[in-house]
Amino acid sequence: MSAYTDEDPRIHAIKTQIRVVPNFPKPGIMFQDITTLLLDPKAFKDTIDLFVERYKGKNISVVAGIEARGFIFGPPIALAIGAKFVPLRKPRKLPGEVIFEEYTLEYGKDRLEMHVGAVEPGERALVVDDLIATGGTLCAAMNLLERVGAEVVECACVIELPDLQGRQRLNGKPLYVLVEYH
Amino acid sequence: MASEDGQDPRISRIASSIRVIPDFPKPGIVFQDITTLLLDTKAFRDTIDLFVERYKDKNISVVAGVEARGFIFGPPIALAIGAKFVPMRKPNKLPGPVISEEYSLEYGTDIMEMHVGAVEAGERALVIDDLIATGGTLCAAIKLLERVGVHVVECACVIELPELKGRERLGDKPLFVIVNAA
């Protein structure tokens, strides 16, 4: 579900602060640029507050953020709810021993890595990214956490592109977003 | 600068939460891994608090964070002091018009980019990264901000590698770090 339907009064400013950049990274794609949201301290704070209000007191001990824009939203949420922050990264960035999950792109494959030992079995986790499109990256993230025995409570994104059906790809895992872009 | 005498009591836990990984990314390099600090909720909280205590009420309106680990520490600081967060990125990641600054690496060069219009002339800024080594990346970030008329008040890092003399490379620009990794 998204906060869109019974719209919290903070959502409107968040939505209007997101800049849409046509034809990036390639023709036909309307890129959702959250950097303009980060330039509005109140809208950025409200974005974090909306997530924190939802997740504090829910016994979540892990916030996993997907490189790189998940690193912007994940840590403030983690700090506010008292959870650890676990970066999920592109290959060869994490220096210690890692486990990896491969996932498909439009053309070819990519890989997401997590440090061994970052997360323990039985921990309750959130996965955070700025946006869900096809859901491929979020699925890879969930798989990494579940493989080490964590429970993924929910995926949380600022933006959803519902036409790309990422929500369905999450296989029943709940998804919470603030803004939809059609 | 970090103080040895009368060192804030939070610093020792922060320092010991950082994992050192030999020979990463290549033989001879001792890598300072902050991901273990992010797993220690108190140490992570204290790290942010140390920066926030230093910078709140200093009229800082911009926190610029260097991709990617600067994205982890910068936003919580920005949110706490009411500043905007500006990501400084590798080439071709930012979707809108950018300005670029080239800087040298050990072998070859790299480019750092910032969105046009993210900051305005006269604003007061911090530059944040997890670590300062040679200072090349921080210098590039400072230059980008100064080119558009911003006053860089200070550079702030969790860790300094003093042997690499990054502090001298910053010239007259002050540097604040929490941990010295000698």
Side-chain angles (χ1 to χ4, degrees):
Chain A
M1 73 175 233
S2 68
Y4 190 76
T5 40
D6 45 343
E7 197 164 290
D8 184 289
R10 292 168 285 185
I11 297 280
H12 177 73
I14 291 168
K15 182 160 190 160
T16 46
Q17 288 308 111
I18 295 165
R19 172 172 66 165
V20 178
V21 181
N23 302 315
F24 184 89
K26 47 182 208 189
I29 301 202
M30 302 291 279
F31 190 90
Q32 303 287 315
D33 179 20
I34 50 89
T35 68
T36 43
L37 171 66
L38 309 176
L39 299 180
D40 179 340
K42 178 173 185 335
F44 184 21
K45 180 176 188 314
D46 286 345
T47 301
I48 299 302
D49 285 350
L50 281 160
F51 290 121
V52 170
E53 287 162 20
R54 183 176 180 82
Y55 297 121
K56 71 179 180 201
K58 296 256 166 65
N59 230 2
I60 287 162
S61 60
V62 173
V63 172
I66 298 178
E67 166 163 24
R69 290 181 292 265
F71 289 8
I72 295 173
F73 297 97
I77 297 168
L79 286 160
I81 70 175
K84 30 191 201 188
F85 178 71
V86 175
L88 303 182
R89 298 211 67 172
K90 303 279 187 194
R92 295 174 299 281
K93 303 293 186 71
L94 292 171
E97 196 188 345
V98 298
I99 62 168
F100 69 86
E101 182 79 17
E102 222 165 59
Y103 61 101
T104 34
L105 302 170
E106 193 181 6
Y107 298 105
K109 295 193 281 207
D110 207 343
R111 227 179 232 211
L112 208 56
E113 295 185 343
M114 179 172 76
H115 266 149
V116 167
V119 174
E120 288 168 41
E123 295 208 73
R124 286 164 54 78
L126 291 181
V127 181
V128 176
D129 207 355
D130 65 321
L131 178 146
I132 174 172
T134 62
T137 320
L138 281 170
C139 275
M142 290 197 306
N143 288 343
L144 277 171
L145 291 161
E146 290 178 343
R147 277 166 54 194
V148 297
E151 178 199 346
V152 177
V153 173
E154 195 157 83
C155 293
C157 301
V158 180
I159 305 160
E160 178 184 9
L161 305 179
D163 301 340
L164 297 180
Q165 305 185 304
R167 188 179 286 271
Q168 286 83 322
R169 192 152 167 194
L170 298 187
N171 244 346
K173 206 48 87 168
L175 169 70
Y176 175 73
V177 305
L178 303 184
V179 166
E180 293 177 10
Y181 185 82
H182 294 266
Chain B
M1 59 181 216
S3 62
E4 300 285 353
D5 309 324
Q7 190 181 73
D8 188 292
R10 292 169 285 185
I11 291 183
S12 124
R13 180 173 177 150
I14 292 168
S16 45
S17 72
I18 296 164
R19 173 171 66 164
V20 173
I21 299 197
D23 301 322
F24 183 89
K26 48 183 207 191
I29 300 203
V30 178
F31 191 90
Q32 304 285 322
D33 179 20
I34 50 90
T35 68
T36 45
L37 185 164
L38 308 175
L39 300 179
D40 179 342
T41 50
K42 180 175 176 5
F44 187 20
R45 162 99 266 135
D46 288 346
T47 301
I48 299 303
D49 286 350
L50 281 163
F51 290 122
V52 170
E53 287 161 19
R54 184 177 179 84
Y55 298 120
K56 69 182 183 196
D57 306 326
K58 296 257 165 61
N59 232 1
I60 287 161
S61 59
V62 175
V63 173
V66 179
E67 165 162 25
R69 290 182 290 264
F71 288 9
I72 295 174
F73 297 97
I77 297 166
L79 286 160
I81 70 175
K84 34 193 194 185
F85 178 70
V86 176
M88 314 293 267
R89 297 210 69 172
K90 303 278 187 195
N92 309 312
K93 303 290 186 75
L94 292 170
V98 296
I99 60 170
S100 307
E101 182 77 24
E102 200 169 333
Y103 62 103
S104 355
L105 302 170
E106 190 181 10
Y107 298 105
T109 58
D110 206 343
I111 289 175
M112 182 180 295
E113 297 187 336
M114 177 174 78
H115 265 149
V116 168
V119 295
E120 291 170 41
E123 294 207 76
R124 287 163 54 79
L126 292 181
V127 180
I128 308 276
D129 207 353
D130 65 321
L131 177 146
I132 174 171
T134 62
T137 317
L138 284 173
C139 276
I142 293 167
K143 289 208 182 103
L144 275 171
L145 291 161
E146 290 184 334
R147 276 166 56 190
V148 295
V150 166
H151 173 55
V152 176
V153 173
E154 193 156 85
C155 293
C157 302
V158 181
I159 305 161
E160 178 182 7
L161 304 180
E163 288 161 10
L164 297 181
K165 304 201 201 290
R167 189 178 285 268
E168 282 93 284
R169 189 151 168 196
L170 298 187
D172 61 348
K173 228 23 109 175
L175 170 70
F176 173 75
V177 305
I178 295 176
V179 171
N180 261 287

